[in-house]
mmCIF file of all heavy atoms in Angstrom:
data_model
loop_
_atom_site.group_PDB
_atom_site.id
_atom_site.type_symbol
_atom_site.label_atom_id
_atom_site.label_comp_id
_atom_site.label_asym_id
_atom_site.label_seq_id
_atom_site.Cartn_x
_atom_site.Cartn_y
_atom_site.Cartn_z
ATOM 1 N N PRO A 46 18.994 -1.664 -1.411
ATOM 2 C CA PRO A 46 20.346 -1.378 -1.901
ATOM 3 C C PRO A 46 20.323 -0.538 -3.193
ATOM 4 O O PRO A 46 19.446 -0.645 -4.001
ATOM 5 C CB PRO A 46 20.926 -2.762 -2.162
ATOM 6 C CG PRO A 46 20.167 -3.669 -1.284
ATOM 7 C CD PRO A 46 18.786 -3.071 -1.249
ATOM 8 N N ASN A 47 21.320 0.335 -3.304
ATOM 9 C CA ASN A 47 21.481 1.187 -4.475
ATOM 10 C C ASN A 47 20.330 2.146 -4.723
ATOM 11 O O ASN A 47 19.948 2.435 -5.937
ATOM 12 C CB ASN A 47 21.712 0.336 -5.721
ATOM 13 C CG ASN A 47 22.768 -0.746 -5.538
ATOM 14 O OD1 ASN A 47 23.766 -0.484 -4.859
ATOM 15 N ND2 ASN A 47 22.526 -1.906 -6.013
ATOM 16 N N ASP A 108 17.601 1.350 -9.057
ATOM 17 C CA ASP A 108 18.633 0.606 -8.331
ATOM 18 C C ASP A 108 19.499 -0.175 -9.300
ATOM 19 O O ASP A 108 20.760 -0.221 -9.142
ATOM 20 C CB ASP A 108 17.971 -0.322 -7.336
ATOM 21 C CG ASP A 108 17.017 -1.343 -7.959
ATOM 22 O OD1 ASP A 108 16.481 -1.056 -9.029
ATOM 23 O OD2 ASP A 108 16.803 -2.379 -7.368
ATOM 24 N N ARG A 112 23.533 0.416 -9.944
ATOM 25 C CA ARG A 112 24.391 -0.759 -9.743
ATOM 26 C C ARG A 112 25.277 -0.937 -10.974
ATOM 27 O O ARG A 112 26.499 -1.173 -10.911
ATOM 28 C CB ARG A 112 23.511 -1.973 -9.485
ATOM 29 C CG ARG A 112 24.332 -3.229 -9.133
ATOM 30 C CD ARG A 112 23.360 -4.321 -8.699
ATOM 31 N NE ARG A 112 22.613 -4.890 -9.826
ATOM 32 C CZ ARG A 112 21.282 -4.887 -9.932
ATOM 33 N NH1 ARG A 112 20.546 -4.347 -8.968
ATOM 34 N NH2 ARG A 112 20.715 -5.420 -10.976
ATOM 35 N N PRO A 118 28.710 -5.753 -8.532
ATOM 36 C CA PRO A 118 28.301 -7.107 -8.956
ATOM 37 C C PRO A 118 26.797 -7.345 -8.721
ATOM 38 O O PRO A 118 26.246 -6.818 -7.730
ATOM 39 C CB PRO A 118 29.157 -7.999 -8.074
ATOM 40 C CG PRO A 118 29.524 -7.168 -6.904
ATOM 41 C CD PRO A 118 29.642 -5.808 -7.392
ATOM 42 N N SER A 119 26.176 -8.099 -9.567
ATOM 43 C CA SER A 119 24.785 -8.405 -9.417
ATOM 44 C C SER A 119 24.660 -9.749 -8.701
ATOM 45 O O SER A 119 25.284 -10.752 -9.093
ATOM 46 C CB SER A 119 24.170 -8.511 -10.770
ATOM 47 O OG SER A 119 22.789 -8.880 -10.682
ATOM 48 N N THR A 120 23.860 -9.744 -7.619
ATOM 49 C CA THR A 120 23.678 -10.932 -6.826
ATOM 50 C C THR A 120 22.528 -11.756 -7.442
ATOM 51 O O THR A 120 21.799 -11.305 -8.290
ATOM 52 C CB THR A 120 23.363 -10.614 -5.364
ATOM 53 O OG1 THR A 120 22.098 -9.959 -5.287
ATOM 54 C CG2 THR A 120 24.457 -9.705 -4.751
ATOM 55 N N GLU A 121 22.389 -12.991 -6.901
ATOM 56 C CA GLU A 121 21.274 -13.829 -7.335
ATOM 57 C C GLU A 121 19.948 -13.147 -7.000
ATOM 58 O O GLU A 121 19.009 -13.202 -7.758
ATOM 59 C CB GLU A 121 21.353 -15.178 -6.678
ATOM 60 C CG GLU A 121 20.264 -16.151 -7.078
ATOM 61 C CD GLU A 121 20.430 -17.526 -6.427
ATOM 62 O OE1 GLU A 121 21.449 -17.740 -5.841
ATOM 63 O OE2 GLU A 121 19.489 -18.341 -6.566
ATOM 64 N N GLN A 122 19.874 -12.490 -5.819
ATOM 65 C CA GLN A 122 18.681 -11.826 -5.432
ATOM 66 C C GLN A 122 18.395 -10.593 -6.319
ATOM 67 O O GLN A 122 17.202 -10.341 -6.627
ATOM 68 C CB GLN A 122 18.826 -11.309 -3.951
ATOM 69 C CG GLN A 122 17.513 -10.985 -3.264
ATOM 70 C CD GLN A 122 17.668 -10.917 -1.739
ATOM 71 O OE1 GLN A 122 18.317 -11.748 -1.176
ATOM 72 N NE2 GLN A 122 17.121 -9.880 -1.150
ATOM 73 N N ASP A 123 19.446 -9.937 -6.762
ATOM 74 C CA ASP A 123 19.284 -8.839 -7.746
ATOM 75 C C ASP A 123 18.622 -9.331 -8.967
ATOM 76 O O ASP A 123 17.722 -8.696 -9.501
ATOM 77 C CB ASP A 123 20.627 -8.207 -8.062
ATOM 78 C CG ASP A 123 21.218 -7.383 -6.956
ATOM 79 O OD1 ASP A 123 20.467 -6.809 -6.147
ATOM 80 O OD2 ASP A 123 22.477 -7.251 -6.926
ATOM 81 N N ALA A 124 19.130 -10.465 -9.455
ATOM 82 C CA ALA A 124 18.601 -11.041 -10.735
ATOM 83 C C ALA A 124 17.107 -11.393 -10.637
ATOM 84 O O ALA A 124 16.359 -11.118 -11.543
ATOM 85 C CB ALA A 124 19.421 -12.249 -11.120
ATOM 86 N N ILE A 125 16.728 -11.932 -9.449
ATOM 87 C CA ILE A 125 15.315 -12.287 -9.290
ATOM 88 C C ILE A 125 14.459 -11.044 -9.247
ATOM 89 O O ILE A 125 13.423 -10.980 -9.862
ATOM 90 C CB ILE A 125 15.138 -13.084 -7.957
ATOM 91 C CG1 ILE A 125 15.893 -14.412 -8.044
ATOM 92 C CG2 ILE A 125 13.640 -13.328 -7.671
ATOM 93 C CD1 ILE A 125 15.932 -15.214 -6.724
ATOM 94 N N ALA A 126 14.908 -10.011 -8.493
ATOM 95 C CA ALA A 126 14.140 -8.778 -8.407
ATOM 96 C C ALA A 126 14.094 -8.053 -9.753
ATOM 97 O O ALA A 126 13.038 -7.497 -10.159
ATOM 98 C CB ALA A 126 14.773 -7.872 -7.359
ATOM 99 N N ASP A 127 15.194 -8.033 -10.482
ATOM 100 C CA ASP A 127 15.238 -7.366 -11.777
ATOM 101 C C ASP A 127 14.275 -7.991 -12.773
ATOM 102 O O ASP A 127 13.781 -7.366 -13.745
ATOM 103 C CB ASP A 127 16.644 -7.404 -12.378
ATOM 104 C CG ASP A 127 17.615 -6.555 -11.542
ATOM 105 O OD1 ASP A 127 17.161 -5.703 -10.753
ATOM 106 O OD2 ASP A 127 18.806 -6.679 -11.759
ATOM 107 N N ALA A 128 13.939 -9.317 -12.579
ATOM 108 C CA ALA A 128 13.113 -10.017 -13.519
ATOM 109 C C ALA A 128 11.607 -9.760 -13.316
ATOM 110 O O ALA A 128 10.789 -10.077 -14.185
ATOM 111 C CB ALA A 128 13.352 -11.501 -13.398
ATOM 112 N N ARG A 168 13.223 -8.627 -3.684
ATOM 113 C CA ARG A 168 14.338 -7.782 -3.326
ATOM 114 C C ARG A 168 14.789 -8.059 -1.858
ATOM 115 O O ARG A 168 15.976 -8.054 -1.564
ATOM 116 C CB ARG A 168 13.938 -6.348 -3.469
ATOM 117 C CG ARG A 168 14.854 -5.256 -2.856
ATOM 118 C CD ARG A 168 16.282 -5.385 -3.335
ATOM 119 N NE ARG A 168 16.427 -5.080 -4.749
ATOM 120 C CZ ARG A 168 17.457 -5.418 -5.478
ATOM 121 N NH1 ARG A 168 18.366 -6.190 -4.946
ATOM 122 N NH2 ARG A 168 17.577 -5.087 -6.731
#
Side-chain angles (χ1 to χ4, degrees):
N47 311 322
D108 59 335
R112 188 173 68 239
S119 178
T120 66
E121 182 178 351
Q122 199 163 315
D123 288 333
I125 296 172
D127 291 347
R168 169 55 68 201

